[in-house]
Amino acid sequence: MIVTQNAEMICENLKRNESGELCFAGLALSPLAKKYGTPLYLYDEERIRHNCRTYLNAVREGFGESARVMYASKAASFKRLYEIVKEEGLGVDVVSCGEIYTASLAGFPLENSYFHSNNKTDSDIEFAISKGVGYFVVDNAEELFAIEEIAEKQGIKQKIMIRITPGIDPHTYAAVATGRVDSKFGSAIETGQAESITALALTFPHLELCGFHCHVGSQIFDAEVYLATSRVMLSFAADMERKLGFITRDLDIGGGLGVRYIKEQPVLDIKETILTVAKEMKAIATELGISLPRISLEPGRSIVADAGLTLYTVGTVKRIPGYKSYVSVDGGMTDNPRFALYGSPYTILPVLGEVGEDSEPCSVVGRCCESGDILQENVPMKADVKRGDLLACLTTGAYHYSMASNYNRIPRPPVVMLGDGESYLAVKRETIEDIVRLDV
Ligand code: LLP
């Protein structure tokens, strides 16, 4: 039975039972480690569904029934996830042939997808068209010519949206900020390129321009960022209507809502944020004298992050007197590169027993031959932490499995789903034989 919830329990689906063991999605973690081995990615299926429904209900309430939520599947992409997202009635944002192919294997209706990327190759374009991708989000003018040519050859008219760089700085970490004028993504309003690509798109017979898209960044907690973005995008739409007679049917304002990795971070109210943005967008559209286009959002992280948890087994514990202590685990930057890349904060907890007064701060590190292979610094650790103990790293559902690598030829962990008090495999554990499979 699940009994306690203390301050470290940063997500609702995490509890300790009466024997002090951590439980995720209602299941104790040690038996899962025993059954599937570690490192292990776990996903709480109900939480993914809950997050999908929160978004869908909020956009429908705020923007009307036609509004759409396109799950940004770069956050986590595997067949089972596309099936769940499909069952929940969301569309998807895909960025590569690999994501398109995975979604198609899951039976995802690809007419309900947006294909992104700042550099789609001709073969990407051909593949996406052959799979019936609904909309291409066109990044630049060159790409327009390429899609037109391939659409003409295939005898189709391809729906497109144009990715606009609105010139908004989301004040998040630099690697994920994409809305600034100097971004590698999209065509900027400030430079006039957004207008010229719109005018150009309207001249192509095999392209159907439906509207505009933007995404300004990720891990954003401030609704103001979306309000400012909406104002810029709607003003641009009004401008295009006035100058080119083009009426924007679809407008996507991207993803990026922040999630809680550590207790010092807030829990963002998704519904409230969306309703605030919707109210403001309606007012802005009225002020500009245009009708509000059909709105779509593209969340990735906030759909899957808090549905994920990674389990590790402790190996070497090294204390360097007068310096620091290291707790090494059987995973690391290969299954979670986010600290190495962005210095991202995480909550790491022992699976058995809570951290007491006598805790010592340790660096939790991986097993790669690289000093930067760190999962987190200054993690409070039980004084008697030892080889064989289990550790849980929380909020690992987004950009973990999808960013995992085989550095040092380390196989990637399996993905196990938890639902209705049961567990099942969604992605098998990679083996060393899998790793050499392509070597000739
Ligand atoms: N739409 C577009 C066009 C995007 O580029 C992204 C994320 C999203 C939607 C979804 O954003 P989200 O809701 O997940 O914040 N690897 C980094 C995150 C990179 C985000 C890339 N684009 C990380 O681990 O923090």
Side-chain angles (χ1 to χ4, degrees), residues 94-203:
V94 286
V95 294
S96 68
C97 292
E99 287 184 0
I100 294 170
Y101 186 58
T102 313
S104 75
L105 289 182
F108 201 92
L110 283 166
E111 65 272 14
N112 200 9
S113 68
Y114 291 171
F115 181 27
H116 286 275
S117 164
N118 64 311
N119 183 18
K120 302 174 185 74
T121 64
D122 287 356
S123 61
D124 289 342
I125 297 169
E126 279 158 14
F127 185 77
I129 291 181
S130 76
K131 289 286 175 196
V133 159
Y135 298 74
F136 277 61
V137 178
V138 178
D139 186 89
N140 53 72
E142 235 174 78
E143 194 182 305
L144 274 183
F145 286 97
I147 303 171
E148 166 66 19
E149 198 182 312
I150 295 167
E152 180 178 11
K153 264 195 225 137
Q154 302 206 6
I156 61 147
K157 189 157 183 157
Q158 179 61 52
K159 288 198 185 102
I160 62 162
M161 292 165 78
I162 292 175
R163 179 155 182 175
I164 303 293
T165 318
I168 303 281
D169 186 343
H171 306 298
T172 179
Y173 41 105
V176 296
T178 52
R180 295 195 311 240
V181 176
D182 60 357
S183 163
K184 79 166 179 173
F185 296 102
S187 302
I189 299 174
E190 188 185 303
T191 58
Q193 284 163 307
E195 181 178 336
S196 53
I197 185 178
T198 304
L200 182 64
L202 292 170
T203 65

Side-chain angles (χ1 to χ4, degrees), residues 278-300:
K279 195 169 158 213
E280 182 75 6
M281 284 184 90
K282 285 178 191 159
I284 299 170
T286 310
E287 191 187 302
L288 292 166
I290 57 170
S291 15
L292 189 67
R294 175 168 64 162
I295 300 296
S296 48
L297 300 185
E298 242 169 41

Side-chain angles (χ1 to χ4, degrees), residues 72 74-75 93 116 163 173 176 213 215 217-219 254-257 298-302 338 342 399 403:
K74 71 209 80 181
D93 143 1
H116 286 275
R163 179 155 182 175
Y173 41 105
V176 296
H213 169 281
H215 168 81
S218 207
Q219 191 60 354
L257 262 60
E298 242 169 41
R301 190 189 313 269
S302 47
R338 296 192 70 259
Y342 321 117
Y399 304 109
M403 290 176 75

Side-chain angles (χ1 to χ4, degrees), residues 353-404:
E354 294 182 41
V355 177
E357 296 290 294
D358 59 346
S359 75
E360 58 166 334
C362 293
S363 297
V364 177
V365 297
R367 59 175 175 146
C368 287
C369 278
E370 173 150 342
S371 302
D373 176 20
I374 299 166
L375 287 178
Q376 202 61 201
E377 300 277 21
N378 294 315
V379 179
M381 199 57 71
K382 292 195 299 179
D384 64 350
V385 60
K386 58 182 183 311
R387 191 178 188 88
D389 284 0
L390 290 172
L391 294 181
C393 183
L394 313 184
T395 332
T396 61
Y399 304 109
H400 281 234
Y401 173 66
S402 62
M403 290 176 75

